[in-house]
Amino acid sequence: MPSDAVPGPLLEPIAFGQRMQVLRTRRGMSRTVLAGLVGKSVSWVKQVEGGQLQMPKLPMVLRIAEALRVRDLSELTGDQSRKVGLFTGPGHARLPQVRAAIDAYPFTSDQEAPTVAHLEARLVRAWQARHAAPDHREVVGALLPGLIRDAQLAVREAETGSARRAAQAALSQTYSLCQFFIAYQPDASLLWRVVERGMVAALESEDPHTLGVAAWLAAQAHRDSGPGHFEAADAVTLETLRYLEPLLPEASDDVRAIAGALRFEAGYTAARRGDAGEAWRYWDAACAVAERLPTAYFHPVTSFSQAIMGAHAVTIAVELHAGAESVRQVVAADATAIPSRPRKARHRIEEARGYQLDGQPEAALATLQKAYESAPETIRYNGYARRIVLEEAESKSPAQRRRAGELAVRLGMLAA
């Protein structure tokens, strides 16, 4: 670093409260919103930020970290000796190869491009493998470099407008698969390159289903960037729905399903914003779409289906921080009906969050264990799960501490 470089504000030895204020401001979050998310008063937040109150105990620190979407706990605490990743999981061993394939621009090639039908068949098998695999990132990470290369080649060698549009659809769908692999890994810029390239390819494809999937993933990326990006998430979601809705009467099940998934995404963002009425209104609208789909239908990318709506209800309640309602929805949902192992694990994590909100830490840890059994690579990269495990590792109950510690070791958060 040059000697005249100015260090960032979070690199200075500043107090916890100052760090909290900087991170809150960067997220575009008001004190009122943060106070509501962590269950404290606005004056409490102000006193912590102003240094009148000392750093709270670990459970509250973890709740603040969750609300602010802190990727590493040291960003908030300032303790660089104990770096604990929260919303960024460990870098997967296959991330360098996937990154290299995404970043490559092969202007020439001595290979013949595969047909679009061949690419589409490989993508179908890739999604099937992902849903069936407990180590889904390993499985997908092994497939992606070849898929990216071949889909790029198919676009470059397309000889007609229709062939090029079909190849762009396959390329966009490949980037969608990439986003599932890259999410929650320590390379945010790579994630956004994939999101943007996937959307550009989808627009070039002029295919409604491909456009819907790319928009669904872009909305998630915006929402996960924090409250300052909720409007961008809503914009892409609602604009895509306006485009799709006139097509729905004659649309395939896949197009109708992506429209339903987008309706739920609008509800998810509303729940993050704390707007319960809007969140449940969109959930009801998504349910209406799901009920018109075949009973056994399951969207290969979004998991949208009749079976997933119970899981979506749990997510809405949890994001609204409604503990009792979350548990009520947990009881009503049927996790066994979800055929995808990673999606079932994600649902189990949402269940655990509900139990934690309702003051049932034993049930939360037991449910996280079920998530681990379903798909270890889902829970290992999930910030909410990691936060619950860390919090329970400080429990007053020896049995809870032991159980949380064992799970932390399995997740790679603690040395064995």
Side-chain angles (χ1 to χ4, degrees):
M1 177 185 293
S3 59
D4 60 346
V6 178
L10 296 188
L11 298 179
E12 293 292 320
I14 61 176
F16 173 86
Q18 291 173 289
R19 289 175 176 272
M20 187 171 95
Q21 184 175 16
V22 170
L23 290 163
R24 176 180 61 76
T25 303
R26 285 182 178 177
R27 286 288 180 193
M29 184 183 294
S30 69
R31 284 178 176 150
T32 302
V33 171
L34 178 58
L37 290 174
V38 302
K40 291 289 187 178
S41 66
V42 176
S43 62
W44 181 88
V45 173
K46 185 176 181 179
Q47 288 178 69
V48 172
E49 291 184 347
Q52 286 83 38
L53 294 177
Q54 294 182 340
M55 184 173 77
K57 293 184 178 179
L58 181 62
M60 180 53 66
V61 170
L62 290 167
R63 288 185 184 132
I64 294 168
E66 176 185 336
L68 297 175
R69 300 289 293 181
V70 172
R71 294 188 178 276
D72 192 293
L73 202 58
S74 64
E75 292 180 55
L76 181 59
T77 64
D79 183 359
Q80 299 294 324
S81 66
R82 297 183 63 191
K83 297 179 76 64
V84 179
L86 290 176
F87 285 89
T88 298
H92 195 277
R94 292 194 182 274
L95 181 59
Q97 296 98 304
V98 174
R99 183 192 296 115
I102 292 167
D103 289 344
Y105 290 96
F107 292 104
T108 60
S109 175
D110 56 2
Q111 292 181 295
E112 183 178 352
T115 65
V116 170
H118 176 74
L119 285 171
E120 289 173 343
R122 285 165 64 184
L123 283 164
V124 167
R125 290 195 297 270
W127 284 111
Q128 290 172 341
R130 179 186 181 272
H131 289 305
D135 57 340
H136 49 93
R137 274 190 167 84
E138 172 64 26
V139 169
V140 170
L143 297 173
L144 278 173
L147 273 169
I148 295 166
R149 180 195 62 240
D150 288 349
Q152 289 176 336
L153 191 62
V155 169
R156 192 167 59 249
E157 295 189 5
E159 295 181 350
T160 65
S162 60
R164 185 176 179 81
R165 287 191 293 273
Q168 290 282 19
L171 180 59
S172 181
Q173 291 161 26
T174 301
Y175 284 135
S176 296
L177 188 61
C178 282
Q179 190 168 334
F180 277 83
F181 174 81
I182 297 166
Y184 308 118
Q185 294 202 58
D187 197 335
S189 64
L190 182 66
L191 175 67
W192 276 107
R193 287 202 295 284
V194 166
V195 171
E196 291 168 357
R197 290 183 191 180
M199 181 59 80
V200 169
L203 288 166
E204 292 287 335
S205 78
E206 301 179 6
D207 176 64
H209 178 250
T210 301
L211 277 162
V213 171
W216 180 80
L217 287 164
Q220 292 189 3
H222 281 297
R223 185 179 59 241
D224 287 347
S225 296
H229 299 264
F230 288 173
E231 287 188 7
D234 281 338
V236 69
T237 300
L238 299 179
E239 182 65 26
T240 308
L241 280 171
R242 281 192 288 272
Y243 162 72
L244 290 175
E245 281 170 357
L247 308 176
L248 296 182
E250 305 297 326
S252 66
D253 286 342
D254 282 348
V255 173
R256 287 188 288 146
I258 197 60
L262 285 162
R263 285 184 172 88
F264 170 70
E265 286 305 307
Y268 194 160
T269 304
R272 280 271 180 93
R273 193 182 281 113
D275 188 339
E278 193 80 343
W280 287 114
R281 183 177 73 82
Y282 276 115
W283 181 84
D284 285 338
C287 271
V289 176
E291 288 168 0
R292 293 194 292 271
L293 292 170
T295 303
Y297 177 87
F298 190 80
H299 190 267
V301 180
T302 69
S303 300
F304 190 81
S305 58
Q306 292 183 25
I308 209 67
M309 293 313 300
H312 282 340
V314 174
T315 295
I316 293 289
V318 166
E319 291 294 345
L320 291 168
H321 297 267
E325 178 63 17
S326 299
V327 172
R328 191 181 76 80
Q329 295 294 347
V330 166
V331 173
D334 181 9
T336 62
I338 301 173
S340 166
R341 292 185 70 135
R343 187 60 185 85
K344 186 181 295 182
R346 164 72 188 281
H347 172 55
R348 292 297 192 190
I349 293 167
E350 297 293 273
E351 287 184 333
R353 292 177 68 196
Y355 285 125
Q356 186 82 350
L357 283 168
D358 199 47
Q360 301 185 50
E362 299 90 348
L365 279 182
T367 306
L368 288 181
Q369 179 61 43
K370 292 179 181 178
Y372 183 87
E373 291 166 0
S374 180
E377 284 198 346
T378 295
I379 184 171
R380 190 172 291 132
Y381 288 81
N382 187 280
Y384 297 114
R386 295 161 75 86
R387 193 267 292 170
I388 293 170
V389 170
L390 281 172
E391 187 169 331
E392 293 309 313
E394 298 284 323
S395 170
K396 294 179 180 179
S397 164
Q400 285 292 98
R401 289 199 305 272
R402 182 176 64 255
R403 193 170 193 176
E406 290 171 354
L407 190 51
V409 169
R410 290 182 180 179
L411 298 182
M413 299 168 66
L414 297 174

